[in-house]
Amino acid sequence: MRLTAAVACDPHTEQDVLWHIAREAPQLRMWLIANPSATPAMLEFVAQTGGPGVRRAFEVLFESMDEQ
């Protein structure tokens, strides 16, 4: 399987694949934040490990939650 942003965002992607992305693909971590299947533990891991675009992705997520 080729790991892409689409795979990281897809709610049907298996949890073990999402965790692999979280641990091994920092360039795709920001896309996990947009995945409704990402678990709280996974989001915590991503928040703590960071990566390109992670901070901004969380800002967008929290802004969208404030608007609701």
Side-chain angles (χ1 to χ4, degrees):
M1 169 185 293
R2 184 165 179 255
L3 299 179
T4 64
V7 171
C9 290
D10 187 346
H12 297 103
T13 300
E14 297 290 330
Q15 287 292 308
D16 60 332
V17 174
L18 296 178
W19 272 106
H20 177 79
I21 291 169
R23 288 189 305 270
E24 305 296 332
Q27 73 282 8
L28 295 176
R29 288 180 186 145
M30 69 177 167
W31 299 105
L32 293 173
I33 298 164
N35 190 326
S37 295
T39 64
M42 185 181 302
L43 294 176
E44 178 69 23
F45 178 85
V46 168
Q48 291 194 13
T49 55
V54 166
R55 178 182 288 174
R56 182 66 186 132
F58 274 115
E59 288 172 359
V60 169
L61 174 65
F62 296 142
E63 287 170 6
S64 72
M65 293 170 77
D66 287 343
E67 292 173 2
Q68 291 180 6

